Amino acid sequence: MPELNPAEAEPTLHTALLQFIFPFSLKEGEDMNLIRQLAQDGFTRFFLNNKELEDAYYGEGYCVSHEKMERSYLPFAAHVLFPQEKDRDSFRRFSRVNDLSCRLDMPAQSVHFQVLSTDVFICPFELGFLTIRIRIEEEVLPFSIALEFADRFRTLEDVSYQDKQTTIHCHDRSFKQVEDFVFRHLARGLEPFLDPSEINGAYFETLPFFVDERMLVQAFYGFDRREEAEGISEALRYRASQLDGLTPEGKPLISASDPGYIEDYCREHSYSRWGPDTYYMTNEQTFCCLSRAEPGIATQLVNQMYGEYYYGLLLSIFHKIVLLKLANMHSRLRINHDYDEIEKLIFLINKFSAKFYFLELISQSQGREIFFSSARFTAMTPCLKRSK
């Protein structure tokens, strides 16, 4: 497994903020029952007109302007993302403050972290999202440790040797799998509402994953400006995108060795408008911001990641998963027999393309460019062509 050149100094971070996103399929007709369960579990319905929530879920020092977030999106998109109370064809968000001090034990390192808050979104097409918002608490935080933490925490079910050697401790409880921590502690009432049809025929899976057993990761990595005086290198950007943390021996990992490949990859997956101080990296599994900006600017970048960019990422994932579901329905049809199912599929395709499939949705140029950058890697257009 490739390691970094020992001559390259390991940078440290002053800030590491992560959001882990788990898309799920909701049992048909169970949305109102889930809403009642979330209310019992202490979740609060999120509305933009409740400005008291602007600094409620993101940790000390961060605040998401609801007015700015709404203005970032064109009206037809804002109507779906920020609905009024009784609009079921929309993203209905429920959030809860956790403020849990925890520790993740890995083979090479223990990392203290704070679970800041949890979101549950109930979306059209029986889809939903669970988001876990985390701040790493270490005083000295090497970049590799932050990436290794993200790679370990996003894996709900143990797959690799490193996963099996990982344990989460929270107060007086310990969890051998992230799945147990999430569904037995953070979101205890959610699992009964997950649609198990997604895993029919699977031998080993116990949760309905759309792609694999890992959550998506949205992250902000704040670098010490004095250490990264020449900017954030392509190797660091590549590692952030791939979540290349540590080798089994505990050394910094990079999953490519050819400088030309890394350069090409960063050119394709990087948004570099504010380089060399700030870069955004995006692919199928991560969307992250790497910055060595001054504290005031860094705070604004974090607020954007928690606000308009968060919703843009969710919408991109929503597009991808709905199109995958429609393509899956299409592949199972018997053209000469399933007339009712064909009519249903035609209706769903028309509903999706008319109400939810927005290509022009963000009003500001930088947000629009970042959105298109992330949307490129969701393979949306081929899925739509197959569904039609």
Side-chain angles (χ1 to χ4, degrees), residues 17-21 42-44 46 53-60 62 64 93-102 113-121 130-135 153 181-182 186-187 306 310:
L17 300 166
L18 305 110
Q19 296 190 124
F20 295 88
I21 302 170
F43 284 82
T44 300
F46 181 91
L53 302 179
E54 289 186 331
D55 60 355
Y57 302 117
Y58 313 109
E60 184 178 355
Y62 301 109
V64 174
R93 173 179 169 180
F94 302 82
S95 299
R96 182 179 66 184
V97 175
N98 296 104
D99 280 338
L100 294 175
S101 297
C102 308
F113 66 97
Q114 187 93 355
V115 180
L116 300 172
S117 57
T118 309
D119 298 339
V120 175
F121 284 83
L130 169 67
T131 300
I132 302 161
R133 197 169 286 111
I134 282 176
R135 178 180 65 228
F153 193 91
F181 178 60
V182 171
L186 295 181
Y306 281 149
Y310 173 45

Short mmCIF file of all heavy atoms in Angstrom, two decimals, residues 17-21 42-44 46 53-60 62 64 93-102 113-121 130-135 153 181-182 186-187 306 310:
data_model
loop_
_atom_site.label_atom_id
_atom_site.label_comp_id
_atom_site.label_asym_id
_atom_site.label_seq_id
_atom_site.Cartn_x
_atom_site.Cartn_y
_atom_site.Cartn_z
N LEU A 17 -14.26 19.56 10.69
CA LEU A 17 -15.71 19.46 10.88
C LEU A 17 -16.27 18.55 9.80
O LEU A 17 -15.99 18.73 8.61
CB LEU A 17 -16.36 20.84 10.78
CG LEU A 17 -15.87 21.87 11.81
CD1 LEU A 17 -16.31 23.27 11.42
CD2 LEU A 17 -16.40 21.52 13.20
N LEU A 18 -17.06 17.56 10.21
CA LEU A 18 -17.52 16.55 9.28
C LEU A 18 -19.02 16.32 9.40
O LEU A 18 -19.58 16.40 10.49
CB LEU A 18 -16.79 15.22 9.52
CG LEU A 18 -15.27 15.28 9.48
CD1 LEU A 18 -14.72 15.06 10.89
CD2 LEU A 18 -14.68 14.25 8.54
N GLN A 19 -19.64 16.05 8.25
CA GLN A 19 -21.04 15.64 8.21
C GLN A 19 -21.10 14.30 7.47
O GLN A 19 -20.66 14.20 6.33
CB GLN A 19 -21.91 16.68 7.51
CG GLN A 19 -21.97 18.00 8.25
CD GLN A 19 -23.02 18.95 7.69
OE1 GLN A 19 -23.88 19.40 8.42
NE2 GLN A 19 -22.95 19.27 6.42
N PHE A 20 -21.66 13.30 8.14
CA PHE A 20 -21.79 11.97 7.56
C PHE A 20 -23.26 11.77 7.17
O PHE A 20 -24.15 11.93 8.00
CB PHE A 20 -21.36 10.90 8.56
CG PHE A 20 -19.90 10.97 8.92
CD1 PHE A 20 -19.46 11.77 9.97
CD2 PHE A 20 -18.96 10.26 8.19
CE1 PHE A 20 -18.11 11.84 10.29
CE2 PHE A 20 -17.61 10.32 8.51
CZ PHE A 20 -17.19 11.12 9.56
N ILE A 21 -23.48 11.44 5.91
CA ILE A 21 -24.83 11.40 5.34
C ILE A 21 -25.17 9.97 4.93
O ILE A 21 -24.45 9.35 4.12
CB ILE A 21 -24.94 12.34 4.13
CG1 ILE A 21 -24.58 13.77 4.54
CG2 ILE A 21 -26.34 12.28 3.53
CD1 ILE A 21 -24.43 14.73 3.37
N GLY A 42 -37.16 13.85 20.38
CA GLY A 42 -36.57 15.15 20.63
C GLY A 42 -36.12 15.91 19.41
O GLY A 42 -35.42 16.93 19.54
N PHE A 43 -36.52 15.49 18.22
CA PHE A 43 -36.19 16.23 17.01
C PHE A 43 -37.17 17.38 16.82
O PHE A 43 -38.36 17.26 17.12
CB PHE A 43 -36.24 15.31 15.78
CG PHE A 43 -35.07 14.40 15.65
CD1 PHE A 43 -35.01 13.21 16.37
CD2 PHE A 43 -34.01 14.72 14.81
CE1 PHE A 43 -33.93 12.35 16.26
CE2 PHE A 43 -32.93 13.87 14.69
CZ PHE A 43 -32.88 12.68 15.41
N THR A 44 -36.65 18.49 16.29
CA THR A 44 -37.45 19.69 16.05
C THR A 44 -37.59 19.90 14.55
O THR A 44 -36.62 19.77 13.80
CB THR A 44 -36.77 20.93 16.67
OG1 THR A 44 -36.65 20.74 18.08
CG2 THR A 44 -37.57 22.19 16.39
N PHE A 46 -37.56 21.76 11.21
CA PHE A 46 -36.71 22.87 10.79
C PHE A 46 -37.46 23.71 9.76
O PHE A 46 -37.87 23.20 8.71
CB PHE A 46 -35.41 22.32 10.18
CG PHE A 46 -34.45 23.38 9.72
CD1 PHE A 46 -33.48 23.87 10.57
CD2 PHE A 46 -34.50 23.88 8.42
CE1 PHE A 46 -32.57 24.83 10.14
CE2 PHE A 46 -33.62 24.84 7.99
CZ PHE A 46 -32.65 25.32 8.85
N LEU A 53 -32.93 29.00 15.08
CA LEU A 53 -32.19 27.78 14.74
C LEU A 53 -30.92 28.06 13.93
O LEU A 53 -30.19 27.14 13.62
CB LEU A 53 -33.10 26.84 13.94
CG LEU A 53 -34.40 26.40 14.63
CD1 LEU A 53 -35.19 25.48 13.71
CD2 LEU A 53 -34.13 25.73 15.97
N GLU A 54 -30.66 29.32 13.61
CA GLU A 54 -29.51 29.63 12.76
C GLU A 54 -28.18 29.21 13.37
O GLU A 54 -27.23 28.87 12.65
CB GLU A 54 -29.49 31.12 12.44
CG GLU A 54 -30.59 31.56 11.49
CD GLU A 54 -30.46 33.01 11.07
OE1 GLU A 54 -29.92 33.82 11.86
OE2 GLU A 54 -30.89 33.35 9.95
N ASP A 55 -28.07 29.23 14.69
CA ASP A 55 -26.83 28.83 15.35
C ASP A 55 -27.05 27.69 16.33
O ASP A 55 -26.25 27.48 17.24
CB ASP A 55 -26.19 30.02 16.07
CG ASP A 55 -27.09 30.62 17.14
OD1 ASP A 55 -28.26 30.17 17.27
OD2 ASP A 55 -26.64 31.54 17.86
N ALA A 56 -28.11 26.91 16.13
CA ALA A 56 -28.49 25.89 17.12
C ALA A 56 -27.75 24.57 16.94
O ALA A 56 -27.54 23.85 17.91
CB ALA A 56 -30.00 25.65 17.06
N TYR A 57 -27.35 24.23 15.70
CA TYR A 57 -26.93 22.86 15.43
C TYR A 57 -25.47 22.71 15.00
O TYR A 57 -25.03 21.58 14.76
CB TYR A 57 -27.81 22.27 14.32
CG TYR A 57 -29.28 22.29 14.66
CD1 TYR A 57 -30.19 23.03 13.90
CD2 TYR A 57 -29.77 21.58 15.75
CE1 TYR A 57 -31.54 23.04 14.21
CE2 TYR A 57 -31.12 21.59 16.07
CZ TYR A 57 -32.00 22.33 15.30
OH TYR A 57 -33.33 22.35 15.61
N TYR A 58 -24.71 23.78 14.93
CA TYR A 58 -23.44 23.73 14.21
C TYR A 58 -22.20 23.90 15.08
O TYR A 58 -21.09 23.88 14.57
CB TYR A 58 -23.45 24.79 13.11
CG TYR A 58 -24.74 24.77 12.31
CD1 TYR A 58 -25.68 25.79 12.44
CD2 TYR A 58 -25.04 23.70 11.47
CE1 TYR A 58 -26.87 25.76 11.73
CE2 TYR A 58 -26.23 23.66 10.76
CZ TYR A 58 -27.15 24.69 10.90
OH TYR A 58 -28.34 24.65 10.21
N GLY A 59 -22.39 24.07 16.35
CA GLY A 59 -21.25 24.25 17.24
C GLY A 59 -20.93 25.72 17.46
O GLY A 59 -21.37 26.60 16.71
N GLU A 60 -20.16 25.96 18.48
CA GLU A 60 -19.84 27.34 18.88
C GLU A 60 -19.10 28.08 17.77
O GLU A 60 -18.14 27.58 17.19
CB GLU A 60 -19.00 27.32 20.15
CG GLU A 60 -18.70 28.69 20.71
CD GLU A 60 -17.89 28.64 22.00
OE1 GLU A 60 -17.64 27.52 22.50
OE2 GLU A 60 -17.50 29.71 22.50
N TYR A 62 -20.38 29.20 14.84
CA TYR A 62 -20.88 29.04 13.48
C TYR A 62 -22.38 29.33 13.43
O TYR A 62 -23.13 28.99 14.34
CB TYR A 62 -20.60 27.63 12.96
CG TYR A 62 -19.13 27.31 12.97
CD1 TYR A 62 -18.59 26.40 13.87
CD2 TYR A 62 -18.25 27.95 12.08
CE1 TYR A 62 -17.24 26.13 13.90
CE2 TYR A 62 -16.90 27.68 12.10
CZ TYR A 62 -16.39 26.77 13.01
OH TYR A 62 -15.05 26.51 13.03
N VAL A 64 -25.65 29.76 10.41
CA VAL A 64 -26.12 29.66 9.03
C VAL A 64 -27.28 30.63 8.85
O VAL A 64 -28.33 30.47 9.48
CB VAL A 64 -26.56 28.22 8.70
CG1 VAL A 64 -27.18 28.16 7.31
CG2 VAL A 64 -25.39 27.26 8.80
N ARG A 93 -37.20 18.56 7.02
CA ARG A 93 -36.03 18.37 7.87
C ARG A 93 -36.42 18.41 9.34
O ARG A 93 -37.20 19.27 9.78
CB ARG A 93 -34.99 19.45 7.59
CG ARG A 93 -33.80 19.46 8.55
CD ARG A 93 -32.80 20.54 8.19
NE ARG A 93 -31.80 20.72 9.23
CZ ARG A 93 -30.80 21.60 9.19
NH1 ARG A 93 -30.66 22.38 8.11
NH2 ARG A 93 -29.96 21.72 10.19
N PHE A 94 -35.82 17.49 10.11
CA PHE A 94 -35.99 17.43 11.56
C PHE A 94 -34.59 17.33 12.17
O PHE A 94 -33.78 16.49 11.74
CB PHE A 94 -36.84 16.23 11.97
CG PHE A 94 -38.20 16.22 11.32
CD1 PHE A 94 -38.36 15.74 10.02
CD2 PHE A 94 -39.30 16.72 11.99
CE1 PHE A 94 -39.61 15.75 9.41
CE2 PHE A 94 -40.55 16.73 11.39
CZ PHE A 94 -40.70 16.25 10.10
N SER A 95 -34.30 18.16 13.16
CA SER A 95 -32.94 18.24 13.71
C SER A 95 -32.97 18.15 15.24
O SER A 95 -33.96 18.54 15.87
CB SER A 95 -32.25 19.54 13.28
OG SER A 95 -32.14 19.61 11.87
N ARG A 96 -31.87 17.66 15.79
CA ARG A 96 -31.75 17.55 17.24
C ARG A 96 -30.31 17.83 17.67
O ARG A 96 -29.36 17.35 17.03
CB ARG A 96 -32.13 16.14 17.70
CG ARG A 96 -32.08 15.95 19.22
CD ARG A 96 -32.50 14.54 19.61
NE ARG A 96 -31.54 13.55 19.15
CZ ARG A 96 -31.71 12.24 19.30
NH1 ARG A 96 -32.82 11.77 19.87
NH2 ARG A 96 -30.80 11.40 18.86
N VAL A 97 -30.14 18.63 18.70
CA VAL A 97 -28.82 18.87 19.28
C VAL A 97 -28.42 17.66 20.12
O VAL A 97 -29.22 17.15 20.91
CB VAL A 97 -28.83 20.14 20.16
CG1 VAL A 97 -27.49 20.32 20.85
CG2 VAL A 97 -29.18 21.36 19.32
N ASN A 98 -27.18 17.19 19.93
CA ASN A 98 -26.67 16.06 20.71
C ASN A 98 -25.66 16.47 21.77
O ASN A 98 -25.78 16.09 22.93
CB ASN A 98 -26.05 15.02 19.77
CG ASN A 98 -27.05 14.40 18.82
OD1 ASN A 98 -27.06 14.74 17.65
ND2 ASN A 98 -27.89 13.51 19.32
N ASP A 99 -24.62 17.21 21.35
CA ASP A 99 -23.54 17.61 22.26
C ASP A 99 -23.01 16.42 23.05
O ASP A 99 -22.93 16.45 24.28
CB ASP A 99 -24.02 18.72 23.21
CG ASP A 99 -24.01 20.09 22.55
OD1 ASP A 99 -23.26 20.25 21.58
OD2 ASP A 99 -24.75 20.97 23.00
N LEU A 100 -22.62 15.37 22.34
CA LEU A 100 -22.10 14.16 22.96
C LEU A 100 -20.58 14.12 22.81
O LEU A 100 -20.05 14.23 21.70
CB LEU A 100 -22.70 12.92 22.31
CG LEU A 100 -24.20 12.69 22.49
CD1 LEU A 100 -24.64 11.48 21.67
CD2 LEU A 100 -24.55 12.49 23.95
N SER A 101 -19.88 13.97 23.92
CA SER A 101 -18.44 13.80 23.89
C SER A 101 -18.12 12.31 23.76
O SER A 101 -18.54 11.51 24.60
CB SER A 101 -17.80 14.37 25.15
OG SER A 101 -18.01 15.76 25.23
N CYS A 102 -17.37 11.95 22.72
CA CYS A 102 -17.12 10.55 22.41
C CYS A 102 -15.65 10.35 22.07
O CYS A 102 -14.89 11.31 21.92
CB CYS A 102 -18.00 10.08 21.24
SG CYS A 102 -19.76 10.42 21.43
N PHE A 113 -13.99 13.21 19.84
CA PHE A 113 -14.85 13.99 18.95
C PHE A 113 -16.16 14.32 19.65
O PHE A 113 -16.52 13.71 20.65
CB PHE A 113 -15.10 13.23 17.64
CG PHE A 113 -15.90 11.96 17.79
CD1 PHE A 113 -17.27 11.95 17.56
CD2 PHE A 113 -15.28 10.76 18.13
CE1 PHE A 113 -18.02 10.79 17.67
CE2 PHE A 113 -16.02 9.59 18.25
CZ PHE A 113 -17.39 9.60 18.02
N GLN A 114 -16.82 15.32 19.10
CA GLN A 114 -18.10 15.79 19.61
C GLN A 114 -19.16 15.58 18.54
O GLN A 114 -19.01 16.04 17.41
CB GLN A 114 -18.02 17.28 19.97
CG GLN A 114 -19.26 17.83 20.66
CD GLN A 114 -19.14 17.79 22.17
OE1 GLN A 114 -18.16 17.25 22.70
NE2 GLN A 114 -20.11 18.32 22.87
N VAL A 115 -20.22 14.86 18.91
CA VAL A 115 -21.38 14.78 18.03
C VAL A 115 -22.23 16.03 18.30
O VAL A 115 -22.84 16.16 19.36
CB VAL A 115 -22.21 13.51 18.26
CG1 VAL A 115 -23.42 13.47 17.32
CG2 VAL A 115 -21.36 12.27 18.06
N LEU A 116 -22.22 16.95 17.36
CA LEU A 116 -22.89 18.23 17.57
C LEU A 116 -24.41 18.10 17.44
O LEU A 116 -25.15 18.58 18.31
CB LEU A 116 -22.38 19.26 16.55
CG LEU A 116 -20.88 19.55 16.60
CD1 LEU A 116 -20.48 20.42 15.42
CD2 LEU A 116 -20.50 20.23 17.92
N SER A 117 -24.86 17.46 16.36
CA SER A 117 -26.30 17.39 16.12
C SER A 117 -26.58 16.33 15.06
O SER A 117 -25.66 15.80 14.42
CB SER A 117 -26.85 18.75 15.67
OG SER A 117 -26.17 19.21 14.51
N THR A 118 -27.86 16.04 14.90
CA THR A 118 -28.32 15.03 13.95
C THR A 118 -29.50 15.59 13.17
O THR A 118 -30.38 16.23 13.75
CB THR A 118 -28.75 13.75 14.69
OG1 THR A 118 -27.71 13.32 15.58
CG2 THR A 118 -29.04 12.63 13.70
N ASP A 119 -29.51 15.35 11.86
CA ASP A 119 -30.64 15.72 11.00
C ASP A 119 -31.28 14.46 10.43
O ASP A 119 -30.58 13.49 10.10
CB ASP A 119 -30.19 16.57 9.80
CG ASP A 119 -29.58 17.90 10.21
OD1 ASP A 119 -29.84 18.36 11.33
OD2 ASP A 119 -28.85 18.47 9.37
N VAL A 120 -32.58 14.50 10.28
CA VAL A 120 -33.31 13.49 9.50
C VAL A 120 -34.16 14.24 8.48
O VAL A 120 -34.94 15.13 8.85
CB VAL A 120 -34.19 12.59 10.38
CG1 VAL A 120 -35.02 11.65 9.50
CG2 VAL A 120 -33.35 11.79 11.36
N PHE A 121 -33.99 13.92 7.21
CA PHE A 121 -34.79 14.48 6.13
C PHE A 121 -35.76 13.41 5.62
O PHE A 121 -35.35 12.27 5.37
CB PHE A 121 -33.93 14.94 4.96
CG PHE A 121 -33.19 16.22 5.18
CD1 PHE A 121 -31.99 16.24 5.86
CD2 PHE A 121 -33.71 17.42 4.69
CE1 PHE A 121 -31.30 17.43 6.06
CE2 PHE A 121 -33.02 18.61 4.87
CZ PHE A 121 -31.82 18.62 5.57
N LEU A 130 -30.17 10.68 6.75
CA LEU A 130 -29.73 10.88 8.12
C LEU A 130 -28.35 11.51 8.07
O LEU A 130 -27.45 10.99 7.42
CB LEU A 130 -29.66 9.54 8.87
CG LEU A 130 -28.98 9.55 10.23
CD1 LEU A 130 -29.81 10.36 11.24
CD2 LEU A 130 -28.75 8.13 10.75
N THR A 131 -28.19 12.65 8.75
CA THR A 131 -26.90 13.35 8.78
C THR A 131 -26.41 13.45 10.21
O THR A 131 -27.15 13.87 11.11
CB THR A 131 -27.01 14.77 8.19
OG1 THR A 131 -27.44 14.67 6.83
CG2 THR A 131 -25.68 15.49 8.24
N ILE A 132 -25.15 13.10 10.42
CA ILE A 132 -24.51 13.19 11.73
C ILE A 132 -23.41 14.24 11.63
O ILE A 132 -22.50 14.13 10.81
CB ILE A 132 -23.92 11.84 12.16
CG1 ILE A 132 -25.02 10.77 12.18
CG2 ILE A 132 -23.26 11.94 13.53
CD1 ILE A 132 -24.49 9.36 12.14
N ARG A 133 -23.51 15.26 12.46
CA ARG A 133 -22.61 16.42 12.39
C ARG A 133 -21.58 16.31 13.52
O ARG A 133 -21.94 16.26 14.69
CB ARG A 133 -23.45 17.70 12.50
CG ARG A 133 -22.78 18.96 12.08
CD ARG A 133 -23.80 20.09 11.97
NE ARG A 133 -24.66 19.96 10.79
CZ ARG A 133 -25.96 19.67 10.85
NH1 ARG A 133 -26.56 19.50 12.01
NH2 ARG A 133 -26.66 19.57 9.73
N ILE A 134 -20.29 16.30 13.15
CA ILE A 134 -19.22 15.99 14.11
C ILE A 134 -18.10 17.02 14.03
O ILE A 134 -17.77 17.52 12.96
CB ILE A 134 -18.67 14.57 13.82
CG1 ILE A 134 -19.64 13.51 14.37
CG2 ILE A 134 -17.27 14.37 14.42
CD1 ILE A 134 -19.24 12.10 14.05
N ARG A 135 -17.52 17.31 15.21
CA ARG A 135 -16.30 18.12 15.30
C ARG A 135 -15.23 17.28 16.00
O ARG A 135 -15.47 16.75 17.09
CB ARG A 135 -16.56 19.40 16.09
CG ARG A 135 -15.31 20.28 16.27
CD ARG A 135 -15.64 21.54 17.07
NE ARG A 135 -16.02 21.22 18.43
CZ ARG A 135 -17.10 21.71 19.05
NH1 ARG A 135 -17.91 22.54 18.42
NH2 ARG A 135 -17.39 21.37 20.30
N PHE A 153 -15.28 6.18 10.48
CA PHE A 153 -16.61 6.49 10.99
C PHE A 153 -17.67 6.32 9.90
O PHE A 153 -18.82 5.99 10.20
CB PHE A 153 -16.65 7.92 11.54
CG PHE A 153 -17.89 8.21 12.35
CD1 PHE A 153 -17.91 8.00 13.72
CD2 PHE A 153 -19.05 8.67 11.75
CE1 PHE A 153 -19.05 8.25 14.47
CE2 PHE A 153 -20.19 8.93 12.48
CZ PHE A 153 -20.20 8.71 13.85
N PHE A 181 -23.74 2.40 16.96
CA PHE A 181 -23.71 3.73 17.55
C PHE A 181 -24.78 4.63 16.94
O PHE A 181 -25.47 5.37 17.64
CB PHE A 181 -22.32 4.35 17.33
CG PHE A 181 -22.17 5.74 17.86
CD1 PHE A 181 -22.35 6.03 19.20
CD2 PHE A 181 -21.83 6.79 17.00
CE1 PHE A 181 -22.21 7.33 19.69
CE2 PHE A 181 -21.69 8.08 17.47
CZ PHE A 181 -21.87 8.34 18.82
N VAL A 182 -24.96 4.52 15.63
CA VAL A 182 -25.91 5.38 14.93
C VAL A 182 -27.35 4.97 15.24
O VAL A 182 -28.18 5.79 15.62
CB VAL A 182 -25.64 5.35 13.41
CG1 VAL A 182 -26.76 6.07 12.65
CG2 VAL A 182 -24.30 6.00 13.10
N LEU A 186 -27.77 7.30 18.49
CA LEU A 186 -28.05 8.62 17.94
C LEU A 186 -29.45 8.73 17.35
O LEU A 186 -30.12 9.76 17.51
CB LEU A 186 -27.02 8.98 16.87
CG LEU A 186 -25.57 9.15 17.33
CD1 LEU A 186 -24.69 9.52 16.14
CD2 LEU A 186 -25.46 10.21 18.42
N ALA A 187 -29.88 7.69 16.64
CA ALA A 187 -31.20 7.72 15.97
C ALA A 187 -31.92 6.41 16.26
O ALA A 187 -32.20 5.61 15.36
CB ALA A 187 -31.03 7.95 14.47
N TYR A 306 -22.21 24.25 5.92
CA TYR A 306 -23.36 23.84 6.72
C TYR A 306 -24.68 24.31 6.12
O TYR A 306 -25.74 23.78 6.46
CB TYR A 306 -23.25 24.41 8.13
CG TYR A 306 -22.32 23.67 9.06
CD1 TYR A 306 -21.63 24.36 10.06
CD2 TYR A 306 -22.14 22.30 8.95
CE1 TYR A 306 -20.79 23.68 10.94
CE2 TYR A 306 -21.29 21.63 9.81
CZ TYR A 306 -20.62 22.32 10.81
OH TYR A 306 -19.79 21.65 11.68
N TYR A 310 -24.50 22.31 1.74
CA TYR A 310 -25.08 21.09 2.32
C TYR A 310 -26.36 20.71 1.58
O TYR A 310 -26.55 19.55 1.17
CB TYR A 310 -25.34 21.35 3.80
CG TYR A 310 -26.09 20.28 4.56
CD1 TYR A 310 -25.79 18.93 4.42
CD2 TYR A 310 -27.10 20.64 5.46
CE1 TYR A 310 -26.47 17.97 5.16
CE2 TYR A 310 -27.78 19.69 6.19
CZ TYR A 310 -27.47 18.35 6.04
OH TYR A 310 -28.14 17.41 6.77
#
